[in-house]
Amino acid sequence: MALIVQKYGGTSVGNPDRIKNVAARVAKYHAQGDQVVVVVSAMSGVTDSLIKLAKEIMPLPAEREMDMLLATGEQTTIALTAMALHSLGVNAVSLTGAQAGIVTDGVHTKAKISNITPQKVHQHLDAGNVVIVAGFQGQTIEGQITTLGRGGSDLSAIALAAALKADLCQIYTDVDGVYTADPRIVPAARKLQEVSYDEMLELASLGAKVMQSRSVEFAKKFKVVFEVRSSLNDNPGTIVKEETNSMEGVVVRGVSLDKNQAKVTLVGIPDKPGMAARVFKALGDAAVNVDMIVQNVSHGTGTPATDLSFTMDKPDLLKAKKVIDGLKAELAFREVIANEAIGKLSIVGVGMRSHTGVAGKMFDVLAKEGVNIDMISTSEIKISVVIDLTKGEQAMRAVHAAFIG
Ligand code: ASP
Ligand code: MG
């Protein structure tokens, strides 16, 4: 008998048939004698339409009330899932985040879990019930309802698995697992049997949006091994766990392409102390999340000047442009160039720590494809390049073929 935490995302519970399908899967584990805790998201699209509804009332609703509103999405799903299990003759109890003992800080709409007291969950399990917990929500010690940030049901599941010391944590989604690349772009992509937390984090933050990054960080911190798998079939998924020695044998675990990037270049900015500080402080104050930064060496005669480029998520471009335009008089740069037609292509793998020549090989592949590299950034287990968006997919396929096959 095992204690299993299963999390089902929005598409897996997207309509009554899908919910019945989830119940049937849960019932099978229950019939085997396993104790099952099911964490569910809101039905797909529900959270978005609740947000839209709120904005129709007022543009900037109070965050406390947003939490009150958004928590109803998951609350709908837990009740329906419990009913679906009852109709199969399985004992099941639904619990809100608060009832399940999920305690958070008071930062409405992006609360952090501070503590879980899962006694009630254990009691219901011991009485033979499947316990269905609303993901994405918790409660402060003062009893205020909070939510954990978009995609937060993943975090609820991982945190519950840690608190309950679960034997198994399964994250059910609408894909079969974590792939070496997006199979819609790279037909040769294949499903990974296992991936380390760090690789998963890099791939997630690079746009391979299988899971909320914060939940993977949490899993890493508390050493929660979990499996990402599909709720639509019985294929084994991808195991996400601590790095093992054998993982280093593979140089590149995955390739990702982020098409949601934009670039801003400040041309001819005086090369003197304090300029970069001024630019990035202003961007930070405006909540623009800057990703890559590249500064050239100085050029020109007279006062040395340089070019400074940075990237950010596309939706932040307008905000960034406004900030930079506002600095023009003060910083006396020559012009600003904004470019939305870029893509960030990255390769990720813990094997890069012990293999040399990886960057050279990647750049060589791009050269042979006639792809110009605009910016480069590297970390211990990742190499990213900014390239022309129109060449992004072709470049991705070529790099995948060269490193993975
Ligand atoms: N329903 C929430 C959202 O859409 C939480 C989740 O799905 O994980 O962000
Ligand atoms: Mg989700």
Side-chain angles (χ1 to χ4, degrees), residues 49-229:
S49 52
L50 289 171
I51 293 173
K52 194 162 156 271
L53 213 53
K55 300 257 147 101
E56 280 171 28
I57 301 286
M58 70 182 292
L60 220 65
E63 290 184 327
R64 180 190 181 279
E65 305 308 330
M66 278 313 280
D67 279 352
M68 190 63 86
L69 178 68
L70 296 190
T72 64
E74 272 68 15
Q75 210 167 316
T76 305
T77 324
I78 52 171
L80 294 174
T81 308
M83 293 172 194
L85 279 158
H86 294 166
S87 75
L88 298 175
V90 177
N91 293 332
V93 180
S94 63
L95 299 176
T96 63
Q99 289 175 326
I102 299 177
V103 182
T104 73
D105 65 18
V107 185
H108 283 291
T109 76
K110 37 185 172 308
K112 288 203 168 68
I113 295 178
S114 43
N115 186 23
I116 298 186
T117 45
Q119 285 81 350
K120 277 238 184 66
V121 176
H122 277 304
Q123 278 167 19
H124 286 299
L125 287 173
D126 292 343
N129 292 293
V130 171
V131 177
I132 301 148
V133 179
F136 178 55
Q137 55 173 263
Q139 180 178 278
T140 66
I141 17 180
E142 292 85 26
Q144 300 291 330
I145 294 178
T146 52
T147 64
L148 308 175
R150 296 306 305 269
S153 299
D154 289 334
L155 182 59
S156 308
I158 299 282
L160 270 170
L164 294 164
K165 302 193 175 52
D167 301 296
L168 201 60
C169 179
Q170 301 173 320
I171 305 289
Y172 285 93
T173 174
D174 52 356
V175 292
D176 269 0
V178 184
Y179 277 72
T180 53
D182 184 342
R184 286 167 302 188
I185 302 175
V186 184
R190 43 188 179 72
K191 185 173 63 191
L192 293 163
Q193 260 174 27
E194 55 179 32
V195 62
S196 74
Y197 296 123
D198 287 332
E199 290 169 331
M200 178 77 177
L201 277 168
E202 291 288 11
L203 290 168
S205 65
L206 294 172
K209 286 262 177 305
V210 187
M211 268 179 85
Q212 188 208 37
S213 295
R214 253 176 79 195
S215 61
V216 183
E217 277 160 18
F218 192 100
K220 181 184 173 188
K221 193 162 154 200
F222 293 95
K223 299 192 169 54
V224 178
V225 177
F226 62 91
E227 181 185 15
V228 178
R229 55 185 295 174

Side-chain angles (χ1 to χ4, degrees), residues 3-47:
L3 199 167
I4 308 176
V5 173
Q6 301 187 333
K7 182 258 171 177
Y8 293 91
T11 43
S12 300
V13 292
N15 59 47
D17 281 336
R18 290 270 170 95
I19 292 177
K20 288 180 189 170
N21 177 53
V22 165
R25 187 182 294 266
V26 172
K28 251 195 275 172
Y29 282 91
H30 188 256
Q32 266 168 224
D34 294 323
Q35 295 194 320
V36 194
V37 175
V38 180
V39 176
V40 287
S41 289
M43 296 167 76
S44 59
V46 166
T47 307

Side-chain angles (χ1 to χ4, degrees), residues 234-251:
D234 283 320
N235 300 339
T238 302
I239 304 287
V240 187
K241 59 178 196 181
E242 267 192 310
E243 193 177 323
T244 57
N245 286 337
S246 69
M247 285 183 177
E248 289 223 4
V250 176
V251 182

Side-chain angles (χ1 to χ4, degrees), residues 271-291:
D271 191 5
K272 60 182 189 197
M275 298 305 261
R278 190 74 193 87
V279 169
F280 293 104
K281 171 82 173 49
L283 289 165
D285 288 345
V288 174
N289 197 351
V290 172
D291 180 19

